Each structure stands twice: as structure tokens, then as C-alpha cells.
Amino acid sequence: LFIIGLMINVNVSATIYKVGIAWGENADFATLQELITAKVGQAADDEIWIAGNHILNDQWNVNGWSGNVYGGFAGTETSVEERERVAGGRGWEFVNPTVLSQETKGVRNSIMYSGSSSGSVFSLIDGIHFDAANCAASPLFLRQFGSSGITVRNCIFENADLPTDNVLSGGTADYEAGAINMGSDDAALVRNIVVEECLIQNNKARVGAIMARQAAIKNCIIINNTGVDTDKSGGVYARDVFSIENTVFWNNKIGETISNVNANGKTTLVANNIIDELNDTFLSSSGNIAETDSIVIFSPKEITLSIPDGVSIINTSVPKTDEKYIVKLGASFNFTVRVPEERTIKAKIGATDLSVKPGSLADTYIVTSTGIMQTTQIEVFLDENITYVPEKATTAAIDWESFLSQHDMFWTSISGDLTAASYTQINIKTGYYAGALMGNGLIGTNMYKLKDNVYRLNAGRSDVTEIRKPYSLFNSARLPIGYFTLATVGKVTSEKMRLSLYNATTKGAFITDKGRIDFKTYVHSLKNYIVFETESTGEEVDYAWEFVGQKAISPRYIQNGSADAGYLNAQGKSNPDAVSKIEGDYHFLIQPLVTDNTFATVGKVYVVAWKEVKSGTKRRIIATIAQQTTEQAAIDEAKSLIDAAFAEEAEVLETSHKQWWNEFYQKAAFVSFPNTRFESFYWAQYYKFASTTREDKPIVDLQGV
């Protein structure tokens, strides 16, 4: 017996907390203040999606939070990319802005603050409008933090008018900045700060806009900020090495004197910016442009394209107007071209190479220029050499069924589950951990021995979960559903089964002192049901087939005997008991799922349904799991699936199931190893992942994987 097992840790997706009434019933918190009080969303892969405007009654101490925070949502989005931007606008221009502000002007109150070097802060802040009118300290004041860096993107900082006498205890002066202050005098750990595609305007403080350590500022507009301390800056003050690229500085002052950047003796890289006054930091030799006329600075920029013969433009990020493309100051511009077969291109603005990447269509390339600062021409050149394109290998000649049959999983005896409940006694070569896995990415099963003379066929569906809010390990837990059992009439004397990788079908036999049961089972590759067929001899034609429902409760509670407060009701249940029901030949187990422990509102209902048809010594069983918002809708869906299955001949149904799998392997990247064991392991995992998830299905379930 050779069983292949695999344990994999996968960061499947972020945990998302939706904040704001605009999310409606999908909101985890109505206000940002509620999320802050609850102290959730702090894990590295967590995301906080904020919709609407929020007024805080105290600064948000973000020390201890990590992950990402986003604004700019309407409340209907399912991804960050769906946030709607103003047509032709810059990165910070959202149709549905998220404005954060303070209710009253307190003592040193920021909007986001971190003062400890031992804790992390967000990795990314994206799409937040910081209105600092009621701030008494920098709206984004990360004085110290211990994480490896932070990116601030697509944000607005404005309206700060900060007091000039803020000094923290211990004699450490924190020269307040009107927008962003990252890294105080003693904050040696603060590093890797990126501020990109942000608007910083109309702020007044000891440093007008930004004070930071090890910062990269790019594609920003920093205008009309005022610094109060004469030895600091109206714009940016460096505490450590920093770089500034593709950014506009205009009318940042100390008093009446232009003061855009104070390098403070630190190493700087300052290139390709527009500024109203060149100096030793902003050199024209580094591509910096001096311009004092604000109309000229902020007017849209014109782009012309120089395209060689044989290259055609397919599309551009902005429409063409009078042979030119018009973009906002600092905006990015991209276009897609088709090139002659087997040729590649380069693109430049002056001597600067632009990003060129292959497009989604054959012989196409996408050219991107970030931060357009002035009227310019982009030139495209065909490479001189024709690209060598090797002949593609083909797997058409492979006899896939014969090849994969070498790696089928087979059992000459079938092990049972261990009786001990302790994790220390788990053995991956027995029972559940050594079963025959089958699935289609949504519905799944695992066949193995439950105990002597009884075999188990699990029923799993990967999107059957608790539906509580807010998210937690209990409130969103995957739920056990149940399993079918086949109990033989006599004592089993011999057993065997084989899982065909090529056909995703398990066949086997149970031989007893009362007869024999030959069986075949699979989860249809495209349709959501489990098929189980048998042909028996002797007294085994009357083997027992039953379904055992499992409690709809978090497996963590089943294992550990404890749960979060509020998860269970007074009777120790998280959902009502399931109800069994028979309608003619249909068998149902009906399980309502409730939204809280009062059981007042049923949010979803899942139904396990099956139907058995006997013909002489043959039995055919079709089972499914349907989930809907009402009991009747779930029952109707289940019956419809079962009826459609029985309407097809068994051979026709099985052929359509096998077809998907056979074609799946024929599209595979063929891999062979000199070590047969490694080769078997590879193809078994290939099969298992196609069983547990698909492109249009939920993430990998834990059913046996």
C-alpha cells in the first residue's frame, strides 16, 4: 500500500473588515471608531476597507496594527481594484472619498499615531483623505514603529494648522509636520517609508508638509504648505537619507521665503521634479525643472508618440486629441502596441528607458510611463535582432491514461479511523488521513473505513460556513456537514479500492462471508453531486446505507471544548438542530444557519439530499448539498440537481465527468521524474488541487488536504 499525503500552508486570502454604513448589511462596523475600540484587523494579512467619512473622538493608535487599510469605497465593491476613480484623475481622486478627521482639537491629537518602537504599523495606507483641521499634531504621526516599512499611497493631507510648542516628555523634540511625521529624533528603527501619488496642500506647522527618515517621495504634489521653524522647511525636512522623484513643489514657504526641501545634510536623490526654485538640492542636471507660473505647472501635459513602421497602436490609457494625448500633471500614461511577428521593442523618453512588458495578446507589448511632468514625446524602437522563438513541445503523443495509471492510489486493505481523539495519536496513514479524495472544487468527499464492516463517504461543501459578524475564527468557521455510511451484512474478509487519477473515479470491492459488493464512486467534475453505484451478490444486496448528520458548530469547539463569548447560546449550540425529512424517494437533512446566538434570524440554509434507485442487484445513489437563503429554495435546488442526474444514463453521466478530467491532464505541464515515488507524489498533488478548488470556486477547503 502506497498512500501519498501532503500538508500545505497557504496564505489563501486576506481577512477583510468593512467599515461604514455604506456597506449596508455587509458592514462589519458602522464606524471606524467601533473598529478601533474592538481592536480587530491587526494581523499582517488583514485588510480594512473604509467607506464614507469618519470623525474620530481620539487619535487612532495604530501601533500593533499591520496589514493594509484602504479608503475610497462606495460600499458595493468586492475588490480594491473596483474602487471608482474620477475619470482622468490622479490616484487620490476617488468618486467616493474617505475623509478621516478629528472631532475636536486636543493635545497632540493626530488621526493615526504610533509612539512605540516595539510594535508594527500598517504596511499600506491607500485612498485616505486626512483632514487635519482639528489636529494638534501631524495627522499621520508615526513617531516610532518596529515594522520594516510603510507605503502611503493615493492619499490627501490638508488643512493642518498645528501648534508650534509640541514637545514630548523626556526632552525629545518632535518637530511637528503638517502632513506626515515619521521618525522622531530617537527613532532609529523607522525606515523604508514610501509616499507616492499623494496630494499634500495648505498645511501649516513647524515643518510644512513631511518630516521623515529613509523616505522615498514620488509622483506627489506638495503645494501651499507653510513651515514655522526658520531652520526647517515649508515642504520636506529630511531626518535621514531620502529620495524625491516626479514630484511637484510649489509655493511652500517659511515666511515669505520659498523653502521646499531641507536636506539637513543627508544623502539625497532628487530627480525629474518640477519646482518653483532650483537650488543645490534640485539641480537641473538631474532633470529637475524650474517653473514659477502655476498655470504652466498644473496645466495638462501633451504626449506625442513616435512609432516605427510595422508597429501599430492597439489602445491607450487616454483618448487621442489632435494627434496628441492629454494627461494630467504627474499622471501615468500607457499604451499597447502590436509588433511584427517575433520582434520586440524598446521605448524611451529622451534617454530614459520606459517599462515594456508583454501584452495579453500575441505579439503585443504594453509601454508605461509614470509621472508625466511635462509635454513630451515617447519614442518606440524595434529591436535590431529577431527574437528566437523555440518550437513548442507537445504532449499530444502521450498516452495519458496509461501513464497516469502508474500513479493511481490503491488500497489492498482499508484502514479505519483511530479511536483516540488526541491530536498526538493522529496517523496520516490511517482512516480519514488515508482515504480516497474526490471533488470538483465545491463539493467534495473522502472515502475510508469508519470501523469494522462499516465504510464512510464524507459529504463536504467548501462554502458552508458560519455567517456571524464580525469575522472571527468562530463566527466564520467552516462547518462539518456529515457523512454516508455503508454497513455490510456480513463480516468483511477482503477489501480493496483504487482511485484512478485520469478519470477521478474510485472503484473497489468489499467481500464478506455473506456476499460481495462492487462499488464505483465519483464527484461529478462539472455538476454538484456525488455518485455512488454498487452491484452486489448474496445477502449483501441488502447492505445498509445511511446518512449521519454532524452538528453545525465550529470544529474548534468540538476539539477544544471552548469558544469565544457569544458564540453559543444557553444550550451550548451555535445553530439550531438539523431536521430530517423524506418526500417520496428524496431524503433530506435540513440545517438552518443563524446570524447570532439568539437564533432569531436564519441567514442561510443548507440541505443534504439524496435519492437511491434499486434495479435487481444494482443500486445507484445520487447525493448533493445545496445552500440557499431559504429552506424551500435549498430543497428545490437539491431536487433539481438530483432529477437532472437521474435523467441521464449512468454511462453518459460518467463519460461527461471523465471528459473534463481527461482534457485537464492533456493541458497539463508534463513532468516526469527518474524517481517513481517523486513522480507519483507530483501527479497525486496535481489531481488533489484540481479536486479541491477551481478558477471559479472557493479557496481550498480542508476536506482531507
Side-chain angles (χ1 to χ4, degrees):
L1 172 64
F2 176 51
I3 301 296
I4 298 171
L6 179 66
M7 182 174 290
I8 298 176
N9 291 320
V10 181
N11 183 7
V12 290
S13 67
T15 301
I16 297 170
Y17 294 88
K18 296 180 179 179
V19 179
I21 59 175
W23 292 107
E25 64 179 14
N26 293 318
D28 296 300
F29 297 94
T31 68
L32 180 57
Q33 194 68 59
E34 291 177 9
L35 176 138
I36 295 170
T37 302
K39 293 185 178 181
V40 298
Q42 296 183 322
D45 59 351
D46 285 348
E47 293 184 1
I48 299 173
W49 293 8
I50 308 174
N53 303 331
H54 296 265
I55 301 174
L56 305 181
N57 58 31
D58 195 1
Q59 64 187 7
W60 182 2
N61 187 344
V62 297
N63 192 270
W65 264 268
S66 47
N68 303 336
V69 58
Y70 297 94
F73 296 95
T76 58
E77 295 86 351
T78 58
S79 70
V80 170
E81 291 71 26
E82 290 179 16
R83 294 176 297 174
E84 186 177 1
R85 309 297 181 101
V86 173
R90 292 292 298 268
W92 57 77
E93 296 182 85
F94 292 91
V95 172
N96 303 285
T98 294
V99 182
L100 304 187
S101 60
Q102 283 287 359
E103 184 175 14
T104 57
K105 201 162 192 170
V107 178
R108 293 203 312 270
N109 63 326
S110 305
I111 291 175
M112 294 185 186
Y113 172 77
S114 172
S116 172
S117 61
S118 62
S120 63
V121 294
F122 291 115
S123 298
L124 173 65
I125 300 172
D126 186 315
I128 303 296
H129 182 157
F130 292 81
D131 184 348
N134 280 335
C135 288
S138 307
L140 184 56
F141 186 8
L142 307 184
R143 178 175 177 266
Q144 298 194 76
F145 56 84
S147 48
S148 59
I150 181 173
T151 296
V152 182
R153 181 188 301 145
N154 302 325
C155 293
I156 297 175
F157 298 84
E158 63 180 356
N159 302 328
D161 187 0
L162 307 184
T164 60
D165 59 351
N166 277 356
V167 179
L168 296 178
S169 61
T172 301
D174 279 78
Y175 304 106
E176 301 292 354
I180 299 172
N181 186 355
M182 294 198 199
S184 61
D185 289 333
D186 58 349
L189 292 178
V190 173
R191 62 204 185 278
N192 299 330
I193 297 164
V194 177
V195 180
E196 60 180 342
E197 196 67 13
C198 289
L199 173 63
I200 302 172
Q201 65 179 1
N202 304 325
N203 300 292
K204 181 180 179 181
R206 298 175 75 173
V207 174
I210 300 174
M211 180 169 60
R213 308 173 69 96
Q214 295 192 20
I217 301 168
K218 49 190 177 182
N219 302 326
C220 294
I221 293 180
I222 301 175
I223 60 173
N224 295 326
N225 300 288
T226 302
V228 176
D229 283 13
T230 57
D231 61 341
K232 297 302 181 293
S233 173
V236 174
Y237 181 79
R239 285 194 181 276
D240 207 332
V241 295
F242 73 99
S243 63
I244 304 173
E245 298 178 273
N246 296 323
T247 292
V248 175
F249 288 87
W250 187 78
N251 201 37
N252 301 294
K253 296 180 177 181
I254 293 177
E256 295 302 317
T257 303
I258 296 295
S259 175
N260 288 299
V261 174
N262 185 340
N264 191 27
K266 309 302 181 184
T267 303
T268 60
L269 168 65
V270 180
N272 303 318
N273 303 284
I274 293 178
I275 193 166
D276 47 6
E277 184 178 274
L278 293 174
N279 54 32
D280 290 343
T281 301
F282 289 83
L283 300 172
S284 60
S285 59
S286 298
N288 298 295
I289 303 167
E291 180 58 69
T292 58
D293 188 333
S294 62
I295 295 177
V296 174
I297 291 175
F298 296 106
S299 62
K301 307 306 174 187
E302 298 176 351
I303 299 174
T304 56
L305 300 181
S306 173
I307 306 295
D309 292 340
V311 175
S312 58
I313 300 174
I314 296 178
N315 57 55
T316 61
S317 58
V318 295
K320 194 173 187 179
T321 305
D322 297 330
E323 301 304 315
K324 297 176 181 176
Y325 302 91
I326 310 299
V327 298
K328 277 194 171 185
L329 169 72
S332 297
F333 176 72
N334 63 71
F335 58 96
T336 304
V337 296
R338 186 182 297 279
V339 303
E341 187 176 359
E342 300 181 0
R343 300 295 296 272
T344 60
I345 62 168
K346 294 180 179 178
K348 295 177 177 289
I349 291 181
T352 303
D353 290 327
L354 298 182
S355 168
V356 177
K357 296 181 179 180
S360 58
L361 302 175
D363 303 318
T364 64
Y365 291 90
I366 301 170
V367 181
T368 302
S369 176
T370 59
I372 300 296
M373 304 299 288
Q374 58 184 316
T375 294
T376 191
Q377 182 182 67
I378 297 177
E379 295 183 275
V380 175
F381 306 91
L382 276 170
D383 274 351
E384 295 180 2
N385 299 322
I386 295 178
T387 304
Y388 169 68
V389 179
E391 182 179 352
K392 292 183 177 179
T394 177
T395 58
I398 296 172
D399 182 348
W400 280 99
E401 186 167 18
S402 176
F403 170 77
L404 287 173
S405 68
Q406 305 171 86
H407 308 302
D408 286 351
M409 288 177 275
F410 59 93
W411 293 254
T412 54
S413 64
I414 304 171
S415 59
D417 264 339
L418 293 170
T419 56
S422 170
Y423 275 134
T424 61
Q425 304 227 6
I426 284 179
N427 186 327
I428 64 171
K429 296 180 180 180
T430 60
Y432 172 89
Y433 297 93
L437 294 166
M438 294 159 280
N440 66 5
L442 182 67
I443 300 291
T445 189
N446 184 7
M447 186 171 183
Y448 55 98
K449 183 186 289 184
L450 185 61
K451 57 184 179 180
D452 287 347
N453 309 318
V454 181
Y455 299 87
R456 171 170 171 164
L457 190 72
N458 283 356
R461 177 168 167 149
S462 56
D463 63 354
V464 170
T465 66
E466 292 280 22
I467 55 173
R468 312 286 188 86
K469 292 183 178 179
Y471 173 88
S472 73
L473 291 176
F474 285 91
N475 285 350
S476 303
R478 288 191 177 101
L479 297 175
I481 294 173
Y483 53 91
F484 294 95
T485 61
L486 185 159
T488 61
V489 176
K491 180 180 179 180
V492 174
T493 58
S494 176
E495 59 193 0
K496 61 182 178 180
M497 66 180 180
R498 181 169 185 158
L499 171 57
S500 165
L501 299 183
Y502 186 65
N503 293 317
T505 302
T506 300
K507 296 180 180 179
F510 308 131
I511 301 170
T512 78
D513 57 2
K514 302 294 184 182
R516 176 187 177 113
I517 304 169
D518 289 285
F519 71 89
K520 174 171 59 182
T521 184
Y522 60 91
V523 177
H524 198 282
S525 54
L526 298 173
K527 300 170 184 179
N528 292 326
Y529 42 74
I530 302 166
V531 178
F532 192 85
E533 299 173 351
T534 62
E535 185 169 5
S536 306
T537 64
E539 294 180 30
E540 293 300 343
V541 295
D542 295 320
Y543 69 79
W545 178 264
E546 295 180 353
F547 182 76
V548 179
Q550 294 174 287
K551 289 185 178 181
I553 194 168
S554 168
R556 285 183 174 82
Y557 176 76
I558 296 171
Q559 178 64 34
N560 301 321
S562 61
D564 289 350
Y567 178 63
L568 305 175
N569 68 3
Q571 288 74 44
K573 299 177 181 179
S574 66
N575 289 289
D577 291 337
V579 175
S580 296
K581 182 177 180 180
I582 298 177
E583 291 183 7
D585 294 330
Y586 301 97
H587 298 254
F588 302 105
L589 182 86
I590 302 162
Q591 176 63 66
L593 302 178
V594 293
T595 58
D596 58 47
N597 67 3
T598 67
F599 290 18
T601 303
V602 174
K604 286 185 178 180
V605 178
Y606 70 77
V607 169
V608 182
W610 67 99
K611 179 179 177 180
E612 179 177 357
V613 172
K614 296 181 180 180
S615 177
T617 59
K618 296 181 179 180
R619 295 162 73 169
R620 187 176 183 218
I621 300 162
I622 307 290
T624 188
I625 307 162
Q627 182 171 235
Q628 292 289 342
T629 55
T630 66
E631 175 181 324
Q632 192 58 51
I635 289 175
D636 290 344
E637 178 186 331
K639 291 174 68 175
S640 177
L641 284 166
I642 291 172
D643 289 345
F646 275 108
E648 293 191 61
E649 294 291 334
E651 293 77 13
V652 173
L653 194 66
E654 185 178 356
T655 298
S656 66
H657 158 71
K658 291 179 179 178
Q659 182 179 357
W660 185 92
W661 280 98
N662 299 167
E663 292 175 356
F664 167 75
Y665 287 112
Q666 289 164 19
K667 298 174 184 176
F670 181 80
V671 176
S672 183
F673 298 87
N675 184 303
T676 305
R677 187 164 183 152
F678 287 166
E679 190 172 90
S680 294
F681 181 84
Y682 172 86
W683 287 108
Q685 309 321 312
Y686 209 91
Y687 161 80
K688 289 201 292 186
F689 272 94
S691 299
T692 51
T693 192
R694 301 279 174 85
E695 182 179 9
D696 57 343
K697 296 296 193 297
I699 58 175
V700 174
D701 188 16
L702 301 181
Q703 182 74 29
V705 175

